[in-house]
Every structure is written in C-alpha cells, then in structure tokens.
Amino acid sequence: MSAGDIVDEVARRRDEFADYAYLGQYEPNADGMRFNDEIAWDRPREVYGDEPIWGGIAGERDVREWLTTDLLDGDFSREHLERGLTREEFNDLQNYHGWNVYDTLALRATEGESEIIPRQEYEFLSFCWAMERWPEFFKLFIDTVGLDGIMELCRRSRTELTTGLTSLLGWVYIGVPGGGAIGMDVLDLVDPQDPVFARQSKVDLTMGAAVQYACLGEKGHLYSSQNRYALQTKAEETVEFVQDNLVDLEGTSKRNFRQFNAAAETLSFLMHYDNRVGLVDNGPYLVDDGKPLILRDILLNRPFLPWNDIAASRDLPYGLTVAMVVDPAEMGLQEVRVPLTAFTAPADYLSAVERGAVFLRNDRYEPGGYPLENLETADVDATLPDLTDRANGGITAWYKRTAGLPRRQKILNGAWTYYVGMLVPFLRATGTYDYFCEELDLWEMPPMTSDIYYRMTDGVAQEQVPAQIMFGYGWKDFPETYDEESGYADYLAEAREVGWKSQLSGMNPVPAGFEDRMDDAIGFSETIIRAIEVVAAYVLVGLFAVGVFDLGLQIGEQALTGRIFQPEVVVGFIDTALLLFIIVEVYQTVVAYTRVDSTRRIVRLVVYTGIIAIVRKVIIFRTELFDEKLQALLTAGSYTLILLSLSVLLLVERRYMPE
C-alpha cells in the first residue's frame, strides 16, 4: 500500500527542508489533526453496524481498512478502467466518496448560508437533474473519444492554469449524481437499486474515477485525502513556471494582492450562486525550504451563464490563477489540507503569504488547450487595483440584479451553475458545447426533475437530504442481483412519448473502458472490406464484358460454319449465357453488400444466383456423360432437391420476410 507521493517526497528531500511543524503530517505513521471533533461519519454504524469513522489523516486510514477491497489503497491504475470495476469496487468507491464528502463538508460547515440565494433547494434540484442526464452525456463522451481521450484532456490540464479542467470535475461527477439518487429515493420517485438506474450510477462513477485519476497524475490515488490532503494536480514544469513568476509581497503589494483575491473570489462565488463551480484550489507544492505553495483557479467571465454580462461588460478575464507561498513559521502552521479548498490550522493563512503571482487568461478556452506562455502575469501594483475595482463593481451589479429575482428563477439559475457549469470545461475542450445545446437539449429540464421542483418542500431539500448525503445514510450499495422489473426504464419510455429527448434506455450498462477504442480499428477494417468489394464489382463487370464479347464471337463463328442450328451448339450458347447471368447476379450481390442494402434484397439475390446456377446444370445435364445410370440418377436427384429448396426459400422470402 502506498501512502502517497508527498510522503515519499518529504522523506527524500528532508535535508532540504526547515523544521516546519506542518511537515509532520507527511511522516509515514502520522495521525494528523482532527479539524472536526464533534460529529463522526455515521454510515458504518447506521448501515453496517460498525463503528463510526472520523475525518482527517487517521480517519482516512480507518475508512480504507473498513472497505472490502484494495481499490483505494493508493494503487489504482489504468487496468481498473480497462477491465471495469467489480460490484464490490463500485461499492467501495461510493463508500469512500461518501466519507470524503463528510470530511470535506465538515470543514465548510458555514458555507452556503445566504438570505438571497436558496442554495439547498437549487443544489437538490441540480443533483437530481444531473442524475437524470449526466450518465447519457458521459456515455457519449466515452463513446466518442474513449476514456483514454477524456483522460488525455485531464493530463493536458496538468500543464495549464486557469482552464477549469480540474479534479473538482471528477469529484462532482461521482458525488453530484449520487446526491440526486439519494434525493429521488427520499421522494419515492426511484429505487436507487433499480437495474437501469444503478447502471447509470456506474457510468457516473467510472467517468469520475477516470477524471480524478488523470488529473492527479495517474499516480495511484483518486482523492487528495489518499495523499495526506495534497491535491497536486499540476505537473512539475507548471509549478516551475509559477515559481519563476513569483514576486515578494510586502506593504502595499501585499494589500493589493489580498484585496484582489478577496474581490475575485467573492465575484466568482456570486456568479456561480455561492458555490465552488468557478473556484478550486490545488497544492500544496513544497518549494524553497519546504514552504507550501497553493494555487487557486478562479473563473469569472463565463459566456454560458445568462447573466455573464455582469463580468463581460467590465472586461474581466475569463479565468485566473492566484499563486500563494505561505510562510509556515510566521503563522505557526500545524497542518494544511486541500480536499478542493485550502484549509489550514490555524485558519488564517492569507496573512502569512510572503510571495505570490496572478496569472490572467484573457481569451476563451478552446479545443487545443491554452499554453502557459499565453497567460498574462498581472503586475501586482499596476494591474491588480484596477481589476479589484472592476470585480467589486461586478459584485454590486450582481446583488442589484439578483435581489429582485423571483425565488423560482434563483433556484433555476443556481441549478444551471451546477448541472451545466460542471460540464462546460469538457464541452469547450472538445468543441461540443453547441452540439449539446442544439441536439441534446442541454439546458432543458427532464420531466422528473421538473416534478421534483414542486416536491422538495417540508425540509426535504434543507434538512433531510443534506444529512443523508453528509453522514452517509442515503448512499445505497449496488446489490448482487436486481429485480428484472425496471420502473425507471418505464419512466424514460413515458418521457420520450411526451417529446423528451433521451437515449438513456439504449445505453450500455457500464462503459467498456479502453475496449471502446477497438471500434475505430473495426471501422477501419470495414472500410478496407468495402474497398475490396468495389474492386471485385469492377472485376465482375470486366468478366461480363469479356464473356459477352466471347459469346458474340462464338455465335458468329458457328453461323459461318453452318453448325449454328445443331442442338449441342445451341445448348453451349445457353450454357455460356447462363454463366453470364450468374456473373450479373454475383455482381448485384456484391453491390448490395457494399451499399449495405436490406437483408431481404441480399437474400433474394443469393437465391436467384443459386437458381440460375442449378438451371444451367439441368440444361447441360446428359446421362451419357456418366459411367453408370445410378450415378446419373443421384446427380439428377441432387439437382432436383437443391432446386426445390431454393424455390421454397424464394417463396418464404416473398411472403414472410418484411420489406
């Protein structure tokens, strides 16, 4: 079992580092701190009758020991994706994620409290919306570019900044639909163990695992908690680029830096309705003598949001990355965690930032990526104050516009930021955003999700579901067997009858992983076969032309000699003509295969060819050609039997095969 690479890095570089207290969390047997010592994760006790599990480094070790497989022991690999996860591994992934949700949200207990934004309601709605539609979209991603293609986009994100293609996506691809499944179960709309519904959940888990694995460098873990809470999603050369552009922060520079970070962070929260779709941290990366470098990606100018004019009209950057080097000695740092957001003990690490940088992306992210050299490195004193003023202006404009919106519109806007916002980075990177909007009704709400809006009352969205998600009561294991009756499949069929566009009922249960790439090879081989079929058709045309010409010469020859009226000569002409007709029928069969005509037409052509061939044999049949009469009789009987069989097949084809 691997404890994670940051443990190995600290052990390897220990002589380079100062004796900072927080580095103790990377000792092989460290237990770390317990940031939350009030409420434990109760799923093991509530569901399985085991002991509750706490958060933190020691709790992470406990939860892995509690799981039934070694999937989360730090040795996850491509092989797991290639073969597909087992039922037990899916259950372990879901259980570990449930603990991780508890461990992360316990650190953000006060986040999301707002008198203006109905966050619990819109999150509940978006979770269910995602559970209904994301599996279809993920399956389309996997079928189109393969899991390997998806992972390649994540690998590229390790060499970029500000793009939004982060491990946050993998985390929510597992957790958000799972929350939707819990909500639908609470409302008695769907049984999470319905076979169709369960297969969709497995698609979500597979997509999320692939994204997490690739974003974290394919080093064996899927969560920062497996790596002592170091979310190291950037490649070494990217971290070096950041270090080369860091500047010292003192006095006015430090004040400018902190004010800009606060304004940009606040505006991003508000543009995404008080959630972290547009803001995610990564790190720490150990620099200098062991000081932590934290990178914060902030997305501001989001063209897909209907209210984006707030940011666009102020010419704010599409995305930016704030880099911060913290002085552990100045703040007395005891522990740093980056599950998706940076948390420290003590909590105020911003006051101890000694060096920093801000990188701006002033263009939209398009397929092909965004090289580091295209970023603008903001001047802390010349550029950041103006950007801060513009961001603060955006904050004021957002409040003025949003305060007067009807509650339903606020819920819908917030749901869009989750449901659509988490897909946009992949849609932009693959150039498929317009296709998803125009052909797949990306922004439209399915019937069940629309119905949920009116059902999430009486504390369901505010109290019951959050508790079931956070403490793990609501997560349902995948069973060994399923009831063949699929109520969710019936719902999908009914939804399509009222015009809802969805292909979910025809999707495969679990992506075949990298085996999907075989489709490309098979398609190439089919292209070769069709090319050879075309060549064969031209060869048959040539043979037919030569045969007709030869038959004409034979007729002319026999006419000149006067033998043209002899029976055996006429039979020879008929034999040659029938051979030519066989060539014609074979040619038409080849053309039918090449054009991928209907099965009925191909069967008919094959039967016609067989009948002509047997008729030819009958016409030229002569008993004197056989040494014994019995041999001639058996041959004649065989011809008769084959001819009768072909005639019956032709009759069946005419009467019973559908057009």
Side-chain angles (χ1 to χ4, degrees):
M1 187 275 292
S2 170
D5 19 77
I6 197 165
V7 172
D8 298 334
E9 180 185 0
V10 170
R12 186 178 67 253
R13 300 177 58 192
R14 193 66 191 182
D15 292 343
E16 304 174 30
F17 294 158
D19 191 23
Y20 296 126
Y22 90 97
L23 292 176
Q25 76 184 86
Y26 306 124
E27 293 297 326
N29 298 315
D31 288 336
M33 302 177 66
R34 185 182 290 178
F35 283 22
N36 160 39
D37 57 3
E38 297 180 3
I39 304 176
W41 188 55
D42 208 28
R43 176 175 172 80
R45 183 190 64 81
E46 182 76 16
V47 178
Y48 301 97
D50 298 327
E51 291 297 316
I53 298 176
W54 294 91
I57 294 172
E60 195 276 337
R61 188 182 299 120
D62 291 340
V63 78
R64 281 190 288 105
E65 291 178 357
W66 174 70
L67 299 177
T68 62
T69 72
D70 60 0
L71 183 74
L72 281 303
D73 278 356
D75 297 312
F76 189 92
S77 69
R78 292 167 63 98
E79 188 269 335
H80 290 92
L81 296 170
E82 290 171 356
R83 64 166 168 79
L85 301 186
T86 65
R87 180 184 69 87
E88 293 79 6
E89 288 171 336
F90 273 123
N91 284 332
D92 275 356
L93 177 57
Q94 187 170 252
N95 275 324
Y96 188 96
H97 189 85
W99 171 84
N100 194 264
V101 168
Y102 149 81
D103 188 45
T104 301
L105 296 186
L107 300 174
R108 307 197 319 224
T110 60
E111 196 173 287
E113 296 180 358
S114 171
E115 296 181 0
I116 295 180
I117 302 172
R119 179 167 174 177
Q120 286 80 10
E121 287 91 338
Y122 87 64
E123 283 187 337
F124 181 90
L125 189 68
S126 65
F127 288 177
C128 298
W129 198 346
M131 186 62 234
E132 281 213 70
R133 298 230 64 191
W134 280 7
E136 179 179 9
F137 298 153
F138 294 161
K139 185 64 171 58
L140 182 59
F141 281 143
I142 294 168
D143 286 344
T144 303
V145 301
L147 279 174
D148 203 22
I150 292 166
M151 290 169 63
E152 181 57 37
L153 293 174
C154 299
R155 293 186 200 105
R156 190 174 70 195
S157 74
R158 290 178 55 81
T159 63
E160 300 174 328
L161 297 171
T162 79
T163 64
L165 271 170
T166 66
S167 64
L168 168 67
L169 301 182
W171 195 85
V172 299
Y173 291 166
I174 294 174
V176 166
I182 292 173
M184 292 176 178
D185 183 28
V186 168
L187 295 175
D188 292 324
L189 293 172
V190 173
D191 177 3
Q193 294 182 335
D194 173 283
V196 174
F197 199 76
R199 290 198 297 267
Q200 292 176 211
S201 297
K202 290 179 180 179
V203 174
D204 294 327
L205 291 168
T206 301
M207 178 76 173
V211 172
Q212 290 277 79
Y213 177 59
C215 282
L216 289 170
E218 301 175 54
K219 296 178 180 178
H221 45 265
L222 303 179
Y223 295 85
S224 71
S225 51
Q226 295 174 271
N227 193 29
R228 301 295 172 86
Y229 293 93
L231 189 66
Q232 296 180 329
T233 60
K234 299 304 174 186
E236 185 176 343
E237 59 268 27
T238 311
V239 177
E240 291 175 355
F241 171 85
V242 171
Q243 287 183 267
D244 291 341
N245 289 276
L246 293 171
V247 297
D248 293 333
L249 298 175
E250 297 177 349
T252 302
S253 295
K254 190 168 186 174
R255 183 173 64 253
N256 291 341
F257 184 87
R258 292 191 62 179
Q259 288 177 346
F260 171 73
N261 177 74
E265 184 175 328
T266 301
L267 180 58
S268 179
F269 266 117
L270 294 176
M271 291 292 288
H272 298 91
Y273 273 63
D274 209 23
N275 64 54
R276 291 183 175 271
V277 173
L279 189 150
V280 63
D281 295 342
N282 63 89
Y285 306 93
L286 307 184
V287 300
D288 303 331
D289 60 352
K291 294 173 182 176
L293 166 66
I294 296 171
L295 302 181
R296 172 164 298 154
D297 288 329
I298 301 176
L299 302 177
L300 292 178
N301 192 336
R302 310 299 304 277
F304 76 94
L305 292 174
W307 51 92
N308 188 57
D309 60 287
I310 292 174
S313 64
R314 288 167 175 79
D315 198 25
L316 289 166
Y318 287 90
L320 59 99
T321 296
V322 178
M324 299 170 280
V325 176
V326 177
D327 184 347
E330 179 182 340
M331 67 174 293
L333 183 62
Q334 300 298 307
E335 192 166 311
V336 56
R337 297 184 191 175
V338 188
L340 290 169
T341 306
F343 296 96
T344 59
D348 181 18
Y349 62 88
L350 290 173
S351 61
V353 173
E354 64 173 21
R355 288 190 297 152
V358 176
F359 304 95
L360 308 177
R361 176 169 57 86
N362 297 312
D363 305 305
R364 290 177 60 166
Y365 188 80
E366 300 293 347
Y370 202 88
L372 294 174
E373 56 267 23
N374 289 2
L375 296 171
E376 174 190 349
T377 303
D379 187 297
V380 174
D381 295 320
T383 306
L384 291 191
D386 177 57
L387 282 175
T388 301
D389 290 341
R390 282 187 267 158
N392 283 329
I395 293 170
T396 301
W398 186 91
Y399 274 111
K400 287 181 178 179
R401 179 177 304 184
T402 306
L405 291 177
R407 183 176 180 80
R408 180 186 177 95
Q409 189 61 52
K410 292 177 184 177
I411 292 174
L412 185 59
N413 287 355
W416 278 338
T417 66
Y418 253 67
Y419 158 74
V420 178
M422 294 295 187
L423 295 175
V424 163
F426 270 109
L427 298 179
R428 291 296 188 200
T430 56
T432 57
Y433 176 77
D434 291 337
Y435 173 80
F436 269 66
C437 292
E438 296 166 8
E439 301 297 328
L440 299 179
D441 284 344
L442 173 64
W443 290 79
E444 288 299 319
M445 189 177 291
M448 186 179 292
T449 304
S450 184
D451 186 39
I452 285 169
Y453 176 83
Y454 297 100
R455 293 173 177 253
M456 55 183 191
T457 55
D458 300 327
V460 171
Q462 296 91 339
E463 301 171 12
Q464 190 172 357
V465 171
Q468 294 216 29
I469 292 174
M470 182 169 178
F471 299 112
Y473 308 147
W475 303 91
K476 294 292 179 68
D477 285 347
F478 295 101
E480 292 185 23
T481 59
Y482 296 96
D483 185 350
E484 291 301 320
E485 294 298 323
S486 174
Y488 194 65
D490 294 340
Y491 154 69
L492 291 172
E494 293 170 3
R496 285 195 299 276
E497 288 179 2
V498 297
W500 174 245
K501 294 181 181 179
S502 175
Q503 302 298 323
L504 283 175
S505 62
M507 64 186 285
N508 294 328
V510 184
F514 295 92
E515 292 176 4
D516 287 343
R517 309 290 287 183
M518 289 297 294
D519 292 342
D520 295 336
I522 292 171
F524 180 67
S525 68
E526 289 177 347
T527 302
I528 294 175
I529 288 292
R530 286 184 183 155
I532 295 173
E533 288 172 351
V534 172
V535 172
Y538 278 105
V539 169
L540 290 170
V541 170
L543 289 175
F544 181 74
V546 171
V548 171
F549 181 73
D550 181 65
L551 179 60
L553 288 179
Q554 290 182 39
I555 294 173
E557 251 178 48
Q558 298 302 329
L560 292 175
T561 61
R563 300 177 59 220
I564 192 170
F565 300 108
Q566 294 179 8
E568 64 272 15
V569 174
V570 174
V571 170
F573 291 157
I574 294 174
D575 182 33
T576 303
L578 288 174
L579 275 174
L580 293 175
F581 280 121
I582 290 174
I583 291 176
V584 170
E585 293 299 328
V586 172
Y587 165 79
Q588 290 183 345
T589 303
V590 170
V591 170
Y593 271 112
T594 304
R595 290 177 174 172
V596 196
D597 284 353
S598 68
T599 302
R600 178 173 185 176
R601 171 168 167 74
I602 294 172
V603 168
R604 186 184 302 165
L605 289 170
V606 171
V607 172
Y608 285 165
T609 304
I611 290 175
I612 294 171
I614 292 299
V615 168
R616 172 178 169 267
K617 288 289 187 181
V618 171
I619 290 174
I620 65 174
F621 180 79
R622 294 289 183 273
T623 57
E624 58 267 22
L625 298 177
F626 297 90
D627 296 332
E628 298 179 6
K629 291 184 179 180
L630 180 60
Q631 188 178 5
L633 181 62
L634 290 174
T635 302
S638 300
Y639 289 163
T640 303
L641 183 61
I642 294 172
L643 190 58
L644 285 173
S645 299
L646 290 171
S647 299
V648 170
L649 185 58
L650 185 61
L651 179 65
V652 171
E653 182 272 328
R654 289 285 187 179
R655 288 191 177 182
Y656 302 109
M657 286 190 69
E659 289 289 351

